[in-house]
Amino acid sequence: DLRVDRLVLLHGSQHGRLAEYVAADIASVSPETRMEPHVLDFADPWDFEEVYGKLLDFARAYPFDPEAEDYLVHITTGTHVAQICLFLLTE
């Protein structure tokens, strides 16, 4: 019952085909949802400083508009480091 207008998918370049598959799957079950894939590569996805820095750069560059939109952040995928960093940045 939750309507999602836009889904921002962060993925590594090595997972491009999987991101395309996910986008097609979402389009088939939720055609009103716009899929927005973003490539975000890490040399070491377990390196806290690198992961936090790249996610922070993404968050600073993304055109968030909290006055007009609500945001949900899904943190259950990726390394534990990515999950912690996303939690901290969301907080």
Side-chain angles (χ1 to χ4, degrees):
D1 292 336
L2 176 66
R3 180 188 166 122
V4 176
D5 296 316
R6 178 180 59 243
L7 181 106
V8 177
L9 177 66
L10 304 178
H11 67 89
S13 56
Q14 74 275 20
H15 298 113
R17 287 184 50 158
L18 179 57
E20 291 172 6
Y21 178 78
V22 169
D25 194 35
I26 289 170
S28 71
V29 297
S30 183
E32 69 277 1
T33 301
R34 186 178 82 232
M35 179 76 165
E36 192 176 291
H38 290 271
V39 175
L40 195 58
D41 287 318
F42 302 108
D44 181 1
W46 294 96
D47 180 271
F48 189 91
E49 184 176 358
E50 177 192 7
V51 173
Y52 188 88
K54 287 188 176 182
L55 288 170
L56 178 61
D57 290 344
F58 172 82
R60 284 182 172 161
Y62 194 81
F64 289 106
D65 185 1
E67 299 299 320
E69 298 179 317
D70 293 322
Y71 298 93
L72 302 172
V73 178
H74 186 290
I75 65 168
T76 61
T77 59
T79 63
H80 291 47
V81 170
Q83 294 170 354
I84 292 166
C85 291
L86 281 169
F87 175 81
L88 292 171
L89 288 167
T90 301
E91 188 176 57

